[in-house]
Amino acid sequence: MHDKIQALLDKDEIRDLRIRYSHLLDGNRIDELDTVFAADAVVEVTVGRMEGLDAIKAGLKEAYALFDRDGRGHYPFLHPIANHLIELTGPDTAQGTCYLVDFETASKADPNPLLLLGLYADEYRRIDGAWRITRSQLEVVWPTLEALEESNGPA
């Protein structure tokens, strides 16, 4: 019974990483991403591949600035996460996938707020007692990446 309870606690902490990521990114609190990613994490999203926490923060700050067209300083986009599936692969490792619905809230010529639909594939590791994302790759499911770049520039 103890193992099942621990597995539930681990999965909940892992699930919270993705939710925290969305809140920190969308709220322009990118400097706090060390509570989400390992120091040596690798992230591959529409703005490119970033290796290490410093590169992740710098890359996401650039992406944030690109989308903050109204200069509000917060929530130029929203990243709701759904259908998070987590598999514990060892006592301190796990992998998972979840859906991303990416909305733009900043003003733009196209009134449709839906930017993209995607699927995150993540790897997790417990480091010093806390779960962190060690690898994350975003697959854009809709629209195609080429169509996205043509219509909006890099996302």
Side-chain angles (χ1 to χ4, degrees):
M1 179 62 86
H2 173 68
D3 290 344
K4 288 183 179 182
I5 292 171
Q6 186 59 53
L8 289 172
L9 292 171
D10 288 340
K11 287 182 177 185
D12 194 56
E13 187 176 338
I14 290 167
R15 192 172 292 110
D16 189 54
L17 292 172
R18 265 288 153 212
I19 295 168
R20 186 178 312 130
Y21 168 81
S22 292
H23 282 272
L24 294 176
L25 176 60
D26 297 345
N28 196 20
R29 295 169 46 206
I30 295 166
D31 286 330
E32 299 176 43
L33 286 176
D34 56 333
T35 63
V36 174
F37 293 104
D40 61 348
V42 175
V43 172
E44 296 179 68
V45 291
T46 56
V47 295
R49 179 184 168 96
M50 299 163 274
E51 296 184 34
L53 192 53
D54 290 339
I56 293 166
K57 288 180 181 181
L60 293 177
K61 283 180 182 182
E62 287 178 23
Y64 189 93
L66 178 69
F67 281 89
D68 191 19
R69 293 182 294 273
D70 300 327
R72 290 187 308 194
H74 66 286
Y75 299 100
F77 37 51
L78 294 171
H79 291 83
I81 302 299
N83 293 23
H84 204 159
L85 182 61
I86 300 164
E87 177 189 357
L88 299 173
T89 57
D92 296 316
T93 58
Q95 59 188 22
T97 58
C98 59
Y99 296 168
L100 166 66
V101 180
D102 194 351
F103 294 104
E104 286 186 89
T105 62
S107 60
K108 61 180 185 165
D110 178 3
N112 180 4
L114 184 58
L115 176 62
L116 64 85
L117 301 174
L119 180 67
Y120 282 116
D122 297 328
E123 295 175 11
Y124 315 97
R125 187 172 67 238
R126 190 186 336 250
I127 302 168
D128 297 328
W131 286 98
R132 295 290 183 262
I133 297 173
T134 57
R135 182 173 195 77
S136 180
Q137 185 171 9
L138 175 63
E139 175 189 352
V140 175
V141 178
W142 177 91
T144 64
L145 189 53
E146 294 79 18
L148 182 65
E149 288 172 349
E150 288 173 12
S151 65
N152 294 314

